[in-house]
Amino acid sequence: MSDYKTLIASTPLVREIESTTTTGDIDYDGTALEIAAINGDELFHVVVDENGESQFLFFRSEGNYRIPVAVMERIIEAAKQHVRVTG
């Protein structure tokens, strides 16, 4: 494997995202924040479990990607406003 610096430099950087608040298309007693790259590639969801704890739900992907901390902070703030138990 190449060195860490090369791995970081060669990993796509996702600076622009789209987010959608949803109640999901499955049986789910809460809202979720779906996060996708601007090109539509789904990255992860912010969900809430039955105890009311907000969590990141990552999906296995074909490849690696990076997201700046500032973008993650915006996602976390949006999740605090929109992700909650509804049932």
Side-chain angles (χ1 to χ4, degrees):
M1 182 171 169
S2 60
D3 64 52
Y4 203 52
K5 182 177 177 180
T6 303
L7 173 65
I8 293 169
S10 66
T11 301
L13 180 61
V14 177
R15 289 190 182 279
E16 296 182 53
I17 55 120
E18 297 176 339
S19 65
T20 304
T21 303
T22 181
T23 56
D25 53 3
I26 57 174
D27 186 22
Y28 175 63
D29 291 331
T31 54
L33 189 64
E34 298 177 352
I35 305 298
I38 202 75
N39 67 4
D41 289 345
E42 191 169 52
L43 302 174
F44 58 88
H45 292 181
V46 184
V47 299
V48 61
D49 70 8
E50 65 277 359
N51 298 315
E53 181 178 44
S54 294
Q55 303 164 350
F56 288 99
L57 175 60
F58 294 97
F59 303 101
R60 294 180 188 251
S61 66
E62 295 289 321
N64 299 330
Y65 57 88
R66 300 177 290 147
I67 299 178
V69 170
V71 174
M72 290 298 287
E73 289 172 338
R74 288 196 334 257
I75 292 168
I76 290 168
E77 286 305 312
K80 287 178 181 177
Q81 294 176 18
H82 301 289
V83 177
R84 59 191 28 79
V85 174
T86 59

